Amino acid sequence: MKHVIIGNSAAAIGCVEGIRRASRTDDIVLVAAEPHHTYSRPLISYLMAGKTDRTKIRYRPENFYRANGVQAKLGRRALGIDPAGKIVTLDGGETIAYDNVLVATGSDPLIFPAEGLDQVENVRTFTTLDDAEALLRSVTAETRVFVVGAGLIGLKCAEGLRAITEHITVCDLAPRVLSSILEDAPAAILRRHLEENGIVLKLGTSVSSFARAGAACTATLRTGETVPFDQLVYAAGVRPNTALVKDAGGDVNRGILVDTLCRTSLPDVYAAGDCTESPDACSGERKVMALLPNAYLQGETAGITMAGATAPTLPLLPMNAIGFFGLHLLCAGVYDGERTEHTDGQNYRSFYTRDNTLRGYILLGRVERAGIYTALIRGRTPLDALDFAALRDQPGLIAFAGPVRAEILRNQDNQRKREAAAP
Amino acid sequence: MKKIYVREEWCLGCHLCEYYCANANLGGGNMAKALKGRPVHPRIRVEDDGKISFAVACRHCDEPLCRKGCIAGAISVADGVVCIDREKCVGCYTCILSCPYGAVLPAEDGHAVQKCELCIQTAGGSPACAEHCPNRAIVFEEGGASA
Ligand SMILES: Cc1cc2nc3c(=O)[nH]c(=O)nc-3n(C[C@H](O)[C@H](O)[C@H](O)COP(=O)(O)OP(=O)(O)OC[C@H]3O[C@@H](n4cnc5c(N)ncnc54)[C@H](O)[C@@H]3O)c2cc1C
């Protein structure tokens, strides 16, 4: 069997490890546009802040490809897949025949057109190691940085750059930070924390135009306010890289459509990670769940399946763990059903329950042992079988009925069985 | 593979396991000297509601969600033991979000996480919690036969 993997990040690495769980001998060729050894994309902001370095940012050890028998073609781009001839074409015209191919191409950042944007030099995005290195070269203590987008990527970029410069302004059309994963109350706490750490936030507005005078630029916001800056970073969304499957005639929506085993609509063509759209186990809706744990799990499932073995299919959940300047935010699931909320102004917790199950939660500040909550969502555990009121205040296995707890503590595979049993 | 198993009915709730764990991970010297007057950060935690008590530590899962989800590639499995590379960990807490047992905990400095690694680095591979549990409520054995 010969497997071709397109991509070199969480989903691609998950696939390599998945294949190797099932087969030591199948051939693996990995093709990646970026020239680097596999690295942890979410760590690029930590690189700017000096909290990791170019060696530690590696997602897997130096000898990973050799140890796993992977022929890695780094710095090469796949241009097309021919599903009938079972051939991948690379830049330069080289072709590779495959038995199975995985598309793990992730997403690319978007730059929305704005008046005067063409006058701004050095417009950057923030999704790759090269992006982070470019910013490290151009930003000094004097640089005034303007970030468009107060989502996860924009705020992580702002936090990372804050180690270098004090002059950072972030703008977002949404009236709150992290608008896709936070409700108003916790977003307000996080906003205050970011502001206390020197990030200037302009929320509920957007850029109406850019202008340039000499080396310095100015953004004029819809509110009429102006923001002078030297470096612009666009972090206002990403677009899944679906072209390889779309051009080959496969089904694509916003992301590549895949089933629970990561099969696309094309025979022997699989897809995993940020380039895909798959059912969210909470809402049942198809979503692009652009998160690293999901990318890895999908890649692993694809790999095991490609190698001909039976993969455990874990339900995929939206879930986030992010920290800014020492304040941790953990959240998972969907925010529907009945909400219970508690805050002391610093820490915040809310839980969403419906039909006797936990649907979602948001924890800010005190986040210890949150995975116990995530497991309740994933396993659709009936809440009347445990002391949920106690669990809400203090996550612990003690809230489970004795026999259930004994089973959990004894058998580490219990969770997996419960997950497998979930509809 | 040998793992730590707890026998809830034998647990006295004395919390000694927590002290021995913290001490082993500080280098295993004189416990009173090492821990006196400082907050301990053990990797095993006793849950206790006054009636029931038991200790919880990493289960070293066959399908470790902490490892699969780690955004830094800082968690690996060596001979069945799930280990954290403190140098690579950036303290994002995705593992805390993922672990169904609540067995991954923030490290003392908050910049990384820590969890039970079965004392492979510290007490010579014989977990200090099980070694010192006065009532054999924590055992280190194959498959949890007596648990
Ligand atoms: C700044 C930042 C912070 C983040 N923080 C978090 C976080 O805290 N937690 C979290 O869960 N997620 C986070 N994410 C998201 C996370 O990085 C992604 O979910 C994850 O990287 C997805 O992995 P992937 O393998 O699907 O794709 P990607 O990581 O996007 O990798 C895709 C790969 O495919 C290659 N490629 C694309 N097209 C081609 C082609 N035609 N031929 C060859 N190669 C190609 C690319 O070069 C790239 O190497 C963050 C992202 C960013 C940018």
Side-chain angles (χ1 to χ4, degrees):
Chain A
M1 270 293 199
K2 181 167 172 187
H3 310 285
V4 175
I5 298 173
I6 305 171
N8 187 23
S9 186
I13 299 302
C15 182
V16 170
E17 293 179 349
I19 292 171
R20 285 294 171 244
R21 277 173 62 158
S23 161
R24 291 306 308 169
T25 52
D26 283 4
D27 289 328
I28 304 178
V29 180
L30 180 147
V31 180
E34 289 180 87
H36 310 292
H37 188 279
T38 182
Y39 67 91
S40 297
R41 190 169 306 286
L43 263 54
I44 59 175
S45 65
Y46 296 86
L47 181 73
M48 291 198 305
K51 291 182 178 156
T52 187
D53 59 33
R54 285 163 188 76
T55 308
K56 287 191 286 189
I57 202 169
R58 284 193 186 128
Y59 183 55
R60 287 294 182 265
E62 162 108 73
N63 68 354
F64 177 82
Y65 304 109
R66 199 164 10 95
N68 285 283
V70 176
Q71 188 193 345
K73 293 177 177 286
L74 306 183
R76 302 292 304 279
R77 185 169 283 279
L79 299 181
I81 298 173
D82 169 5
K86 302 188 94 171
I87 283 170
V88 176
T89 306
L90 307 192
D91 50 6
E94 185 186 344
T95 55
I96 312 174
Y98 65 80
D99 293 302
N100 295 295
V101 61
L102 176 81
V103 177
T105 47
S107 55
D108 276 342
L110 293 170
I111 297 187
F112 293 104
E115 191 191 321
L117 182 61
D118 52 343
Q119 293 177 38
V120 181
E121 277 179 11
N122 286 327
V123 181
R124 297 275 172 216
T125 52
F126 190 64
T127 61
T128 66
L129 185 54
D130 290 347
D131 291 338
E133 304 223 310
L135 283 172
L136 272 172
R137 282 193 299 272
S138 67
V139 175
T140 67
E142 277 73 49
T143 310
R144 295 162 304 173
V145 181
F146 182 51
V147 181
V148 177
L152 186 146
I153 294 177
L155 291 180
K156 270 302 195 189
C157 178
E159 183 199 38
L161 285 172
R162 186 65 185 74
I164 306 172
T165 172
E166 290 178 1
H167 316 290
I168 299 172
T169 305
V170 184
C171 160
D172 201 301
L173 190 55
R176 56 177 195 270
V177 294
L178 298 182
S179 61
S180 61
I181 59 168
L182 280 188
E183 300 204 313
D184 289 342
I189 297 175
L190 178 58
R191 173 184 190 162
R192 203 175 56 226
H193 181 74
L194 290 163
E195 288 174 339
E196 282 166 7
N197 282 281
I199 307 292
V200 177
L201 291 162
K202 307 281 182 198
L203 301 179
T205 186
S206 60
V207 177
S208 69
S209 66
F210 291 105
R212 182 169 148 202
C217 295
T218 306
T220 304
L221 308 184
R222 302 233 175 254
T223 52
E225 233 178 320
T226 55
V227 180
F229 66 88
D230 311 297
Q231 174 69 58
L232 177 62
V233 182
Y234 254 78
V238 294
R239 181 187 15 226
N241 288 325
T242 58
L244 287 173
V245 170
K246 192 174 177 198
D247 295 349
D251 291 343
V252 162
N253 192 16
R254 216 170 84 72
I256 299 166
L257 299 185
V258 291
D259 64 11
T260 52
L261 293 175
C262 297
R263 293 176 294 208
T264 69
S265 63
L266 301 170
D268 305 320
V269 180
Y270 295 73
D274 283 16
C275 62
T276 68
E277 209 175 286
S278 52
D280 157 355
C282 286
S283 65
E285 280 169 43
R286 293 191 147 275
K287 275 186 194 159
V288 177
M289 272 180 283
L291 295 163
L292 191 140
N294 286 340
Y296 181 89
L297 288 172
Q298 282 190 307
E300 184 187 47
T301 295
I304 296 171
T305 311
M306 286 157 70
T310 306
T313 55
L314 278 175
L316 302 177
L317 296 183
M319 57 178 210
N320 276 281
I322 346 167
F324 297 102
F325 303 108
L327 178 64
H328 288 277
L329 163 68
L330 269 58
C331 56
V334 288
Y335 311 145
D336 70 1
E338 192 186 330
R339 177 174 67 188
T340 49
E341 186 178 40
H342 179 79
T343 180
D344 58 10
Q346 285 280 323
N347 299 284
Y348 174 92
R349 344 175 37 84
S350 59
F351 296 90
Y352 304 79
T353 55
R354 209 182 74 195
D355 303 334
N356 195 30
T357 54
L358 181 64
R359 304 279 294 161
Y361 69 85
I362 300 174
L363 306 178
L364 195 60
R366 192 163 68 85
V367 299
E368 278 188 31
R369 307 191 76 190
I372 293 174
Y373 301 132
T374 312
L376 293 182
I377 303 176
R378 205 185 272 118
R380 303 189 187 194
T381 311
L383 295 182
D384 59 7
L386 45 87
D387 186 352
F388 186 59
L391 196 58
R392 252 182 351 225
D393 296 335
Q394 186 71 53
L397 302 177
I398 205 158
F400 290 87
V404 179
R405 177 171 61 246
E407 178 69 3
I408 295 174
L409 285 171
R410 240 178 73 79
N411 182 354
Q412 80 277 0
D413 289 332
N414 180 55
Q415 182 66 25
R416 206 164 20 124
K417 277 188 221 137
R418 252 186 298 153
E419 279 157 1
Chain B
M1 163 196 166
K2 277 177 149 187
K3 292 184 187 176
I4 287 171
Y5 292 92
V6 295
R7 301 191 288 184
E8 182 178 315
E9 62 283 17
W10 294 103
C11 178
L12 306 168
C14 70
H15 294 255
L16 264 181
C17 51
E18 297 180 342
Y19 289 94
Y20 277 102
C21 172
N23 195 49
N25 285 293
L26 283 172
N30 178 303
M31 187 155 84
K33 234 188 242 162
L35 300 182
K36 196 166 175 192
R38 59 186 282 182
V40 293
H41 292 270
R43 294 150 189 233
I44 189 167
R45 292 289 167 99
V46 174
E47 290 192 32
D48 189 345
D49 68 359
K51 294 189 288 282
I52 306 167
S53 61
F54 55 90
V56 184
C58 174
R59 309 309 308 137
H60 299 280
C61 302
D62 293 336
E63 301 280 345
L65 291 174
C66 59
R67 187 191 95 88
K68 295 176 197 237
C70 177
I71 66 166
I75 305 184
S76 58
V77 183
D79 298 329
V81 184
V82 179
C83 300
I84 293 174
D85 181 342
R86 269 195 69 94
E87 293 299 307
K88 290 189 83 168
C89 175
V90 293
C92 75
Y93 293 4
T94 303
C95 48
I96 293 179
L97 175 78
S98 308
C99 174
Y101 305 96
V104 188
L105 303 161
E108 185 167 1
D109 62 11
H111 295 306
V113 294
Q114 63 183 26
K115 56 181 274 307
C116 164
E117 295 179 358
L118 297 178
C119 283
I120 45 170
Q121 319 253 13
T122 50
S126 168
C129 57
E131 187 101 323
H132 295 282
C133 177
N135 219 26
R136 297 242 324 130
I138 303 175
V139 291
F140 182 54
E141 62 184 23
E142 229 28 89
S146 65

